[in-house]
Amino acid sequence: MQRRRPTIGIALGSGSARGWAHIGIIQALERAGIVPDIVCGTSIGALVGAAYADGQLERLASWVKSLSWQSVVSLLDPTIDGGLIQGEKLLAFFRAHFNDKDIIKLPKPFGAVATELVTGREVWLRNGSVIEAVRASIALPGLFTPAQLDGCLMVDGGLVNPVPVSLCRAMGADIVIAVDLNWDLMGRHAAREAQPAQAAAGRLASILDKLPLGLGRLKSGPAASTEMPSIFDVLSISLHIMQVRITRSRLAGEPADVMIRPRLANFALMDYHRAAAAITEGARAAELVLPELEELIGGAG
């Protein structure tokens, strides 16, 4: 009797701008004939995962490759009410350029992870508006304002489950491919590349300078103090520490069958304009695990 092909799930982890690497990973897997049946994502992983589950990955890839620092800044709507960025301009953009639908109507089973702000409860979003679910999952504390969903305030799922292996298992995956975008961040922040466009960086700085506490000083530089990082750097590095620690803890208790770990330590929190480099690195990291993955799938099939 012919054995059943194992159900493959992919758990796309959180990681802000590093998340464009997910696109290259999925593309590399599909080129090798490995097509995930179940797609789960946290934060930026939810955004890329939703596009993939809806058959719109190539459209998303084309858009993110076209992003410049100026276009990233143009999607920001600064606020001081619950975060630095309100997120409404980004939400409106996705509604205008990508077809929203109910999660249960996507071609591939999809789930996103968010965190209920008041209780700290991990929330699995498996029905309702795709765009609203993604907005809830990407609401990075301190950066994006919390999302309101079903009467609850939701923030980034990376606070509780940065790489949602458990959700993939619960949705029926026999084999889980997990993507950890943050594994090499600790101690590497100082090695990140400088922003290529100082004028564009200055534009974002001028926007944030309108807010209290001098938030426009985005990073330490030649003219900055060598002793004290900017408030934005403190926030960014603290989030890195939190996500690395939580990811290690969750993966120790809920291990994936195959881990993909792209090298992305030189990507900063807001480097969304560097999609081409992230996609290339994602593809490289995926290709490294193909022999292991093919053997695992062949043995299970």
Side-chain angles (χ1 to χ4, degrees):
M1 186 175 72
Q2 187 176 10
R3 287 188 294 176
R4 179 181 67 87
R5 173 189 173 278
T7 299
I8 301 170
I10 188 164
L12 304 174
S14 60
S16 302
R18 294 180 292 277
W20 297 149
H22 289 314
I23 296 172
I25 288 166
I26 295 168
Q27 290 172 334
L29 292 175
E30 290 214 329
R31 284 195 297 268
I34 299 170
V35 180
D37 305 291
I38 295 168
V39 185
C40 298
T42 296
S43 195
I44 189 68
L47 192 157
V48 176
Y52 177 52
D54 196 25
Q56 299 192 60
L57 186 69
E58 295 307 318
R59 187 177 179 191
L60 178 66
S62 296
W63 174 65
V64 301
K65 287 179 180 178
S66 73
L67 287 175
S68 64
W69 184 245
Q70 291 93 332
S71 58
V72 172
V73 172
S74 73
L75 291 171
L76 306 183
D77 40 6
T79 180
I80 56 172
D81 188 13
L84 298 180
I85 300 168
Q86 190 172 356
E88 292 305 313
K89 288 177 69 175
L90 186 63
L91 204 64
F93 176 88
F94 279 111
R95 290 194 186 282
H97 292 83
F98 294 89
N99 295 326
D100 193 16
K101 60 183 65 173
D102 195 293
I103 291 173
I104 61 175
K105 294 183 179 179
L106 292 173
K108 289 180 181 286
F110 170 73
V113 179
T115 305
E116 189 176 352
L117 181 61
V118 175
T119 64
R121 180 173 62 96
E122 179 178 340
V123 179
W124 291 352
L125 304 173
R126 296 184 55 188
N127 54 57
S129 163
V130 171
I131 291 178
E132 294 289 349
V134 169
R135 171 64 178 89
S137 188
I138 67 171
L140 191 65
L143 187 62
F144 283 98
T145 59
Q148 297 193 38
L149 197 63
D150 297 329
C152 299
L153 290 176
M154 300 288 183
V155 291
D156 197 301
L159 292 177
V160 291
N161 196 354
V163 184
V165 173
S166 55
L167 178 53
C168 262
R169 300 276 189 212
M171 291 176 64
D174 299 312
I175 294 174
V176 176
I177 305 165
V179 183
D180 181 4
L181 302 175
N182 304 312
W183 68 280
D184 64 341
L185 292 181
M186 301 293 289
R188 299 282 297 278
H189 183 79
R192 61 156 294 197
E193 295 180 7
Q195 295 287 2
Q198 294 302 320
R203 183 180 173 194
L204 178 58
S206 67
I207 292 174
L208 295 180
D209 266 335
K210 296 176 183 178
L211 305 179
L213 305 176
L215 294 173
R217 189 163 62 87
L218 296 180
K219 60 176 183 176
S220 301
S225 167
T226 57
E227 298 180 359
M228 187 63 63
S230 72
I231 189 171
F232 194 86
D233 272 342
V234 172
L235 174 63
S236 175
I237 297 170
S238 298
L239 288 169
H240 290 168
I241 294 169
M242 176 194 71
Q243 291 209 327
V244 169
R245 297 294 187 185
I246 296 171
T247 300
R248 288 176 182 173
S249 176
R250 289 298 299 253
L251 290 176
E254 302 159 351
D257 297 287
V258 174
M259 289 296 309
I260 299 177
R261 292 186 170 103
R263 295 186 176 276
L264 300 164
N266 65 332
F267 280 77
L269 193 70
M270 295 294 290
D271 279 353
Y272 290 101
H273 59 293
R274 298 179 59 204
I279 290 170
T280 298
E281 172 55 22
R284 183 203 67 82
E287 288 163 359
L288 289 177
V289 305
L290 286 178
E292 176 188 1
L293 191 50
E294 288 167 349
E295 181 178 359
L296 180 63
I297 294 172

Short mmCIF file of all heavy atoms in Angstrom, two decimals, residues 37-71:
data_model
loop_
_atom_site.label_atom_id
_atom_site.label_comp_id
_atom_site.label_asym_id
_atom_site.label_seq_id
_atom_site.Cartn_x
_atom_site.Cartn_y
_atom_site.Cartn_z
N ASP A 37 2.21 22.71 2.86
CA ASP A 37 0.75 22.58 2.83
C ASP A 37 0.08 23.53 3.81
O ASP A 37 -1.05 23.97 3.59
CB ASP A 37 0.34 21.15 3.18
CG ASP A 37 1.01 20.13 2.27
OD1 ASP A 37 0.67 20.10 1.08
OD2 ASP A 37 1.88 19.38 2.77
N ILE A 38 0.77 23.82 4.91
CA ILE A 38 0.24 24.66 5.98
C ILE A 38 1.23 25.80 6.22
O ILE A 38 2.45 25.59 6.26
CB ILE A 38 0.05 23.85 7.28
CG1 ILE A 38 -1.03 22.78 7.08
CG2 ILE A 38 -0.29 24.75 8.47
CD1 ILE A 38 -1.09 21.76 8.20
N VAL A 39 0.70 27.02 6.37
CA VAL A 39 1.55 28.20 6.52
C VAL A 39 1.16 28.92 7.81
O VAL A 39 0.01 29.29 8.00
CB VAL A 39 1.39 29.15 5.32
CG1 VAL A 39 2.37 30.32 5.46
CG2 VAL A 39 1.59 28.42 4.00
N CYS A 40 2.15 29.12 8.68
CA CYS A 40 1.93 29.86 9.92
C CYS A 40 2.98 30.95 10.04
O CYS A 40 4.12 30.77 9.60
CB CYS A 40 2.01 28.94 11.14
SG CYS A 40 0.76 27.65 11.15
N GLY A 41 2.60 32.06 10.64
CA GLY A 41 3.56 33.16 10.76
C GLY A 41 3.33 34.02 11.97
O GLY A 41 2.19 34.15 12.45
N THR A 42 4.41 34.60 12.44
CA THR A 42 4.36 35.57 13.52
C THR A 42 4.96 36.87 13.03
O THR A 42 6.03 36.87 12.42
CB THR A 42 5.16 35.07 14.75
OG1 THR A 42 4.55 33.89 15.26
CG2 THR A 42 5.20 36.13 15.84
N SER A 43 4.27 37.98 13.27
CA SER A 43 4.76 39.31 12.91
C SER A 43 5.03 39.41 11.41
O SER A 43 4.14 39.14 10.61
CB SER A 43 5.99 39.64 13.76
OG SER A 43 6.28 41.02 13.70
N ILE A 44 6.24 39.76 11.00
CA ILE A 44 6.55 39.85 9.57
C ILE A 44 6.36 38.49 8.90
O ILE A 44 6.03 38.41 7.71
CB ILE A 44 7.98 40.38 9.36
CG1 ILE A 44 8.26 40.71 7.88
CG2 ILE A 44 9.01 39.40 9.88
CD1 ILE A 44 7.48 41.88 7.34
N GLY A 45 6.53 37.42 9.65
CA GLY A 45 6.26 36.08 9.12
C GLY A 45 4.80 35.89 8.78
O GLY A 45 4.45 35.17 7.84
N ALA A 46 3.91 36.56 9.53
CA ALA A 46 2.48 36.50 9.23
C ALA A 46 2.17 37.24 7.94
O ALA A 46 1.36 36.79 7.13
CB ALA A 46 1.67 37.08 10.39
N LEU A 47 2.85 38.36 7.73
CA LEU A 47 2.62 39.14 6.52
C LEU A 47 3.03 38.35 5.28
O LEU A 47 2.26 38.18 4.33
CB LEU A 47 3.39 40.46 6.60
CG LEU A 47 3.07 41.54 5.57
CD1 LEU A 47 3.46 42.91 6.09
CD2 LEU A 47 3.76 41.29 4.23
N VAL A 48 4.27 37.84 5.29
CA VAL A 48 4.76 37.06 4.14
C VAL A 48 3.96 35.77 4.00
O VAL A 48 3.59 35.36 2.89
CB VAL A 48 6.26 36.75 4.30
CG1 VAL A 48 6.75 35.85 3.16
CG2 VAL A 48 7.07 38.04 4.32
N GLY A 49 3.65 35.13 5.12
CA GLY A 49 2.89 33.88 5.08
C GLY A 49 1.50 34.07 4.52
O GLY A 49 1.01 33.21 3.76
N ALA A 50 0.86 35.17 4.85
CA ALA A 50 -0.48 35.43 4.32
C ALA A 50 -0.44 35.61 2.81
O ALA A 50 -1.31 35.10 2.08
CB ALA A 50 -1.08 36.66 4.99
N ALA A 51 0.57 36.33 2.33
CA ALA A 51 0.71 36.52 0.88
C ALA A 51 0.94 35.18 0.19
O ALA A 51 0.37 34.91 -0.87
CB ALA A 51 1.84 37.49 0.59
N TYR A 52 1.77 34.35 0.79
CA TYR A 52 2.06 33.04 0.20
C TYR A 52 0.82 32.14 0.21
O TYR A 52 0.50 31.49 -0.80
CB TYR A 52 3.19 32.37 0.96
CG TYR A 52 3.54 30.99 0.47
CD1 TYR A 52 3.80 30.73 -0.87
CD2 TYR A 52 3.60 29.91 1.36
CE1 TYR A 52 4.11 29.46 -1.32
CE2 TYR A 52 3.92 28.64 0.92
CZ TYR A 52 4.17 28.42 -0.42
OH TYR A 52 4.47 27.15 -0.87
N ALA A 53 0.11 32.13 1.32
CA ALA A 53 -1.09 31.29 1.42
C ALA A 53 -2.16 31.71 0.43
O ALA A 53 -3.00 30.91 0.02
CB ALA A 53 -1.64 31.34 2.85
N ASP A 54 -2.11 32.98 0.02
CA ASP A 54 -3.10 33.51 -0.93
C ASP A 54 -2.60 33.48 -2.37
O ASP A 54 -3.27 34.00 -3.26
CB ASP A 54 -3.46 34.94 -0.54
CG ASP A 54 -4.74 35.42 -1.21
OD1 ASP A 54 -5.59 34.57 -1.57
OD2 ASP A 54 -4.89 36.64 -1.40
N GLY A 55 -1.43 32.88 -2.60
CA GLY A 55 -0.89 32.81 -3.95
C GLY A 55 -0.36 34.14 -4.47
O GLY A 55 -0.23 34.33 -5.69
N GLN A 56 -0.03 35.08 -3.56
CA GLN A 56 0.42 36.41 -3.97
C GLN A 56 1.87 36.68 -3.57
O GLN A 56 2.28 37.84 -3.48
CB GLN A 56 -0.49 37.48 -3.35
CG GLN A 56 -1.94 37.38 -3.78
CD GLN A 56 -2.73 38.62 -3.40
OE1 GLN A 56 -2.42 39.73 -3.81
NE2 GLN A 56 -3.77 38.41 -2.60
N LEU A 57 2.66 35.62 -3.37
CA LEU A 57 4.04 35.83 -2.92
C LEU A 57 4.86 36.60 -3.95
O LEU A 57 5.64 37.49 -3.59
CB LEU A 57 4.71 34.48 -2.62
CG LEU A 57 6.11 34.60 -2.00
CD1 LEU A 57 6.02 35.16 -0.59
CD2 LEU A 57 6.81 33.25 -1.98
N GLU A 58 4.74 36.25 -5.23
CA GLU A 58 5.54 36.93 -6.25
C GLU A 58 5.15 38.40 -6.36
O GLU A 58 6.01 39.25 -6.60
CB GLU A 58 5.38 36.22 -7.60
CG GLU A 58 5.93 34.80 -7.62
CD GLU A 58 7.38 34.72 -7.13
OE1 GLU A 58 8.18 35.60 -7.52
OE2 GLU A 58 7.69 33.79 -6.37
N ARG A 59 3.88 38.69 -6.18
CA ARG A 59 3.44 40.08 -6.20
C ARG A 59 4.04 40.84 -5.03
O ARG A 59 4.50 41.99 -5.18
CB ARG A 59 1.92 40.12 -6.14
CG ARG A 59 1.33 41.50 -6.33
CD ARG A 59 -0.19 41.42 -6.32
NE ARG A 59 -0.77 42.74 -6.46
CZ ARG A 59 -2.05 43.01 -6.29
NH1 ARG A 59 -2.89 42.03 -6.00
NH2 ARG A 59 -2.52 44.24 -6.43
N LEU A 60 4.05 40.21 -3.85
CA LEU A 60 4.67 40.84 -2.69
C LEU A 60 6.16 41.03 -2.92
O LEU A 60 6.71 42.09 -2.61
CB LEU A 60 4.44 39.98 -1.44
CG LEU A 60 5.08 40.51 -0.15
CD1 LEU A 60 4.43 41.82 0.28
CD2 LEU A 60 4.99 39.47 0.97
N ALA A 61 6.82 40.02 -3.49
CA ALA A 61 8.26 40.12 -3.75
C ALA A 61 8.58 41.28 -4.67
O ALA A 61 9.55 42.03 -4.44
CB ALA A 61 8.77 38.81 -4.34
N SER A 62 7.80 41.46 -5.70
CA SER A 62 8.03 42.57 -6.63
C SER A 62 7.89 43.91 -5.92
O SER A 62 8.68 44.84 -6.14
CB SER A 62 7.03 42.50 -7.79
OG SER A 62 7.23 41.34 -8.56
N TRP A 63 6.88 44.01 -5.04
CA TRP A 63 6.68 45.27 -4.33
C TRP A 63 7.82 45.56 -3.36
O TRP A 63 8.37 46.67 -3.36
CB TRP A 63 5.34 45.24 -3.59
CG TRP A 63 5.15 46.47 -2.73
CD1 TRP A 63 5.03 47.76 -3.15
CD2 TRP A 63 5.10 46.51 -1.30
NE1 TRP A 63 4.89 48.60 -2.08
CE2 TRP A 63 4.93 47.87 -0.94
CE3 TRP A 63 5.15 45.53 -0.30
CZ2 TRP A 63 4.83 48.27 0.40
CZ3 TRP A 63 5.05 45.94 1.02
CH2 TRP A 63 4.89 47.29 1.37
N VAL A 64 8.21 44.58 -2.55
CA VAL A 64 9.23 44.86 -1.54
C VAL A 64 10.58 45.16 -2.18
O VAL A 64 11.37 45.95 -1.65
CB VAL A 64 9.35 43.72 -0.51
CG1 VAL A 64 8.03 43.50 0.19
CG2 VAL A 64 9.87 42.43 -1.12
N LYS A 65 10.86 44.57 -3.33
CA LYS A 65 12.11 44.87 -4.03
C LYS A 65 12.14 46.30 -4.56
O LYS A 65 13.21 46.86 -4.80
CB LYS A 65 12.33 43.89 -5.18
CG LYS A 65 12.72 42.49 -4.74
CD LYS A 65 12.88 41.57 -5.94
CE LYS A 65 13.27 40.16 -5.54
NZ LYS A 65 13.37 39.26 -6.72
N SER A 66 10.96 46.87 -4.75
CA SER A 66 10.89 48.24 -5.27
C SER A 66 10.98 49.29 -4.15
O SER A 66 11.09 50.49 -4.43
CB SER A 66 9.57 48.45 -6.03
OG SER A 66 8.47 48.53 -5.14
N LEU A 67 10.95 48.85 -2.90
CA LEU A 67 10.96 49.80 -1.79
C LEU A 67 12.28 50.54 -1.68
O LEU A 67 13.35 49.93 -1.73
CB LEU A 67 10.68 49.07 -0.47
CG LEU A 67 9.26 48.57 -0.21
CD1 LEU A 67 9.22 47.77 1.09
CD2 LEU A 67 8.26 49.71 -0.18
N SER A 68 12.20 51.83 -1.53
CA SER A 68 13.35 52.65 -1.17
C SER A 68 13.15 53.12 0.26
O SER A 68 12.07 52.98 0.83
CB SER A 68 13.45 53.86 -2.11
OG SER A 68 12.32 54.70 -1.93
N TRP A 69 14.21 53.69 0.83
CA TRP A 69 14.06 54.22 2.18
C TRP A 69 12.97 55.30 2.22
O TRP A 69 12.18 55.39 3.16
CB TRP A 69 15.39 54.77 2.68
CG TRP A 69 15.39 55.25 4.09
CD1 TRP A 69 15.59 56.52 4.53
CD2 TRP A 69 15.16 54.47 5.27
NE1 TRP A 69 15.51 56.59 5.89
CE2 TRP A 69 15.25 55.34 6.38
CE3 TRP A 69 14.89 53.12 5.49
CZ2 TRP A 69 15.08 54.91 7.68
CZ3 TRP A 69 14.72 52.69 6.80
CH2 TRP A 69 14.81 53.58 7.88
N GLN A 70 12.91 56.11 1.15
CA GLN A 70 11.90 57.15 1.08
C GLN A 70 10.49 56.57 1.06
O GLN A 70 9.59 57.09 1.73
CB GLN A 70 12.11 58.02 -0.17
CG GLN A 70 13.37 58.88 -0.12
CD GLN A 70 14.55 58.18 -0.77
OE1 GLN A 70 14.62 56.95 -0.78
NE2 GLN A 70 15.48 58.96 -1.31
N SER A 71 10.29 55.49 0.31
CA SER A 71 8.94 54.91 0.24
C SER A 71 8.56 54.24 1.55
O SER A 71 7.38 54.21 1.92
CB SER A 71 8.85 53.92 -0.93
OG SER A 71 9.80 52.88 -0.82
#
